[in-house]
Amino acid sequence: MIVDPGGNLDPSDVRSPGRAGGHAEEMTRDRKAKAVTLAILLGAFGIVLGQKSGWRMPEKSQAKTEATPQNVIYAMLDAARAGDTKANMRS
């Protein structure tokens, strides 16, 4: 802080405490790191709490589509395009 001989402060030199120079960027980075850490911890806590109450992650076998006639025909066409005669005969 600069004070002229008349006792007046130079307003261009007044700084907030703890926010000098490159320190502001550090605090922003620190704040972002804390926010990301908190989000990850809350997400993990939510998953654990959900699983304790009976919620389960979907398994891959449940996500499998039914073998409708359209799906079989499309699978045969895909195999024919790829030149895979064994897959084409299995369909």
Side-chain angles (χ1 to χ4, degrees), residues 3-65:
V3 180
D4 68 4
N8 297 323
L9 297 177
D10 182 8
S12 65
D13 192 48
V14 177
R15 294 186 182 124
S16 299
R19 298 262 181 192
H23 191 62
E25 184 178 327
E26 250 181 62
M27 289 193 64
T28 303
R29 187 179 304 147
D30 186 44
R31 211 175 258 182
K32 286 179 187 176
K34 286 180 183 179
V36 168
T37 302
L38 182 64
I40 290 171
L41 288 174
L42 287 175
F45 180 71
I47 289 173
V48 168
L49 189 63
Q51 287 184 347
K52 293 271 185 190
S53 65
W55 176 77
R56 296 283 177 229
M57 295 286 287
E59 294 180 14
K60 289 182 181 180
S61 61
Q62 292 176 349
K64 191 174 179 181
T65 60

